[in-house]
């Protein structure tokens, strides 16, 4: 029996009306378990496009919200960026270091590190994504890559600050490709991440580490039963309320 976080990353999908209709539908489906104490061990989270955060806020007592990206400066001449002050009332989490931000928008570890610090000081929980590319895996560099990302992204943070972070292992080769890491491959990296974070923070602790990469109703349970996998970050399968709900339903059996 464990605590799990089931998170949807909608990326650049869904208009405001579509976001509202999704959360309303999902809320009705989840409310059937409102008297089930297991629901307290499951956090259901959505990262919608930033423009949907305000209109989605307050529509479900069972669903948390997070922002897909934030900027590390407080305010000013940064056209197109989102400051934490603009979303902190409507967001519990900030997704940081997603591979699409790292690759498509050339985000560096230094910027990711600043974003984590800004999120923490605003009271948001950072959800930090790390993961290797296919080339790195094939060259046997998975652990070297993840070790470097963690060291750089967590640089200068105290162990108390690191305690507040939720992590996601997202092998880049499994994101949106239909290829999923096997539960054994994922567990191996999750265990490595746990040990690395413990080393960096100087404290042995349980860490919340989600797996992400082509998670769907057919494979979620096998992955989530692994010891160090504490949830899932879901892209494609979270866009459809039936498949996202099916993953939530299966997860409830594990908590
Ligand atoms: C993601 O975007 O974080 C993700 C894991 O996407 P998908 O589930 O589509 O692979």
């Amino acid at each position: 029996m464990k605590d799990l976080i089931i998170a949807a990353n909608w990326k650049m999908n869904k208009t405001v009306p579509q976001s509202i209709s999704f959360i309303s539908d999902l809320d009705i489906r989840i409310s059937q378990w409102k008297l089930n104490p297991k629901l307290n061990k499951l956090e259901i989270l959505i990262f919608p496009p930033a423009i949907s955060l305000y209109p989605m806020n307050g529509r479900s007592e069972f669903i948390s919200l997070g922002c897909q990206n934030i900027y590390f400066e407080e305010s000013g001449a940064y056209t197109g960026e989102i400051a934490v002050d603009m979303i902190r009332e409507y967001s519990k989490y900030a997704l940081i270091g997603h591979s699409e931000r790292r690759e498509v928008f050339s985000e560096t570890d230094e910027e990711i590190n600043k974003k984590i610090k800004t999120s923490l000081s605003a009271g948001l929980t950072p959800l930090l994504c790390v993961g290797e590319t296919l080339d790195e895996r094939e060259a046997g560099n998975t652990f070297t890559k993840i070790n470097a990302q963690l060291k750089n992204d967590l640089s200068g943070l105290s162990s108390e600050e690191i305690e507040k972070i939720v992590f996601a292992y997202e092998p880049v080769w499994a994101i949106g490709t239909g290829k999923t890491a096997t539960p054994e491959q994922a567990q191996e990296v999750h265990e490595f991440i746990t040990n690395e974070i413990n080393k960096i923070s100087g404290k042995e602790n349980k860490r919340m580490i989600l797996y992400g990469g082509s998670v769907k109703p057919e494979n979620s349970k096998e992955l989530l039963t692994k010891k160090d996998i504490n949830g899932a970050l879901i892209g494609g399968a979270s866009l459809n309320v039936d498949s996202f709900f099916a993953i939530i339903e299966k997860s409830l059996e594990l908590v």
Side-chain angles (χ1 to χ4, degrees), residues 1 12 14 42 82 113 116 123 134 148 184 186 196 220-221:
M1 295 297 147
M12 199 174 72
K14 294 198 191 294
L42 191 66
I82 299 163
N113 176 254
I116 294 175
L134 187 59
E184 293 67 33
E196 289 308 292
S220 61
K221 208 166 169 182

Side-chain angles (χ1 to χ4, degrees), residues 59-202:
R59 287 188 188 261
S60 175
E61 60 178 297
F62 311 111
I63 303 166
S64 313
L65 298 176
C67 194
Q68 290 179 20
N69 182 35
I70 52 105
Y71 197 53
F72 49 79
E73 296 290 353
E74 273 177 31
S75 64
Y78 304 103
T79 303
E81 292 293 338
I82 299 163
V84 283
D85 258 0
M86 298 168 185
I87 50 96
R88 71 208 295 182
E89 281 174 69
Y90 326 115
S91 273
K92 180 172 172 192
Y93 287 85
L95 189 61
I96 298 180
H98 190 278
S99 65
E100 287 152 19
R101 298 292 321 169
R102 292 180 191 261
E103 286 189 357
V104 184
F105 301 98
S106 310
E107 247 176 45
T108 63
D109 283 314
E110 199 187 344
E111 287 166 327
I112 289 165
N113 176 254
K114 286 188 194 167
K115 289 183 177 197
I116 294 175
K117 290 176 177 161
T118 304
S119 303
L120 286 169
S121 54
L124 295 167
T125 301
L127 201 172
L128 171 65
C129 303
V130 294
E132 81 287 4
T133 62
L134 187 59
D135 285 353
E136 287 159 347
R137 175 160 280 264
E138 286 177 349
N141 290 333
T142 299
F143 296 130
T144 320
K145 171 67 180 286
I146 291 172
N147 168 277
Q149 285 181 326
L150 288 171
K151 271 202 178 132
N152 293 325
D153 298 347
L154 301 178
S155 165
L157 294 172
S158 67
S159 60
E160 288 73 28
E161 287 172 319
I162 295 175
E163 287 321 291
K164 295 182 183 150
I165 302 174
V166 173
F167 296 84
Y169 167 52
E170 296 214 310
V172 180
W173 49 271
I175 298 178
T177 58
K179 285 185 201 151
T180 319
T182 63
E184 293 67 33
Q185 279 175 322
Q187 167 58 31
E188 187 187 25
V189 181
H190 279 237
E191 191 175 340
F192 173 79
I193 293 175
T194 305
N195 293 334
E196 289 308 292
I197 301 168
N198 286 345
K199 275 191 226 156
I200 295 168
S201 81

